[in-house]
Amino acid sequence: MFASVLDLVWPRVCEVCGRSVDRPGRHVCADCLNRLPFVPTVGCCRRCGRPAEGLSVDFICEDCRTYRPRFDRAASALLMDGAARAMLNAFKFRNHHWLRDDLVDFLEAAARARFDVAQIDLVLSVPSTLLHLWDRGYTPCRVLAKPLARRLGKPCPPLVLRRKNAPKRQGRLGEAERRTNVVGTGRSWSSMT
């Protein structure tokens, strides 16, 4: 009922096209939702989750064979392109917190499509550097991790990971620079109090 009253006072408009939203409690309309660049559920690298056009089976990509990432599996909900990039940047850098439920919808769908949810122990958020936390006032990963964990029925403990160093912002770097930038910034486990 509260959401209905809010919609009367401040009608929701689509973050992508600006028209009225036809999906209850969301900020992306059905038309724009269908046009977002979702990562396919097949034809992706089994390690990093990067899709390859035209493939219908999973594989290990050349980058993962060459650089051997220090994780077993990763998946993305959206390709960072067009409207998806604009929406994620608005959430991350311009405090568009109202996009949280839409983004968690996308993450939940990707998690259920690419992983055996029963095998997931917990949901962790990657911590922000102190400078980024001060600049933004919040940690975007944490804002998404908590509701995602609730939907998956998993715990989301606070302060489990901690950054060792503060690298440059990844968004302004190319792929090779990003790999170099994170060297020595590994996260360490802290106590779960």
Side-chain angles (χ1 to χ4, degrees), residues 96-172:
H96 288 206
H97 291 271
W98 54 85
L99 292 172
R100 183 196 70 187
D101 290 335
D102 292 278
L103 296 175
V104 173
D105 288 346
F106 307 155
L107 290 171
E108 179 186 10
R112 292 188 185 281
R114 302 287 299 169
F115 300 102
D116 178 0
V117 173
Q119 298 296 313
I120 297 173
D121 295 320
L122 49 93
V123 176
L124 297 177
S125 59
V126 176
S128 293
T129 64
L130 288 176
L131 179 61
H132 294 164
L133 181 59
W134 178 79
D135 186 34
R136 291 184 189 132
Y138 68 104
T139 301
C141 290
R142 186 76 183 157
V143 171
L144 299 175
K146 290 167 79 174
L148 176 62
R150 271 193 305 275
R151 291 189 193 185
L152 298 177
K154 304 297 176 182
C156 184
L159 303 174
V160 173
L161 298 176
R162 185 177 40 210
R163 283 192 182 268
K164 286 184 176 179
N165 295 312
K168 296 178 194 171
R169 289 187 183 228
Q170 293 282 83
R172 298 182 180 123

Side-chain angles (χ1 to χ4, degrees), residues 2 9 28 40 43 48-49 55 59 76 93 114 119 129-130 160 176 180 184:
F2 181 68
V9 178
V28 177
C48 70
L55 287 182
F59 59 95
S76 298
F93 300 113
R114 302 287 299 169
Q119 298 296 313
T129 64
L130 288 176
V160 173
T180 305

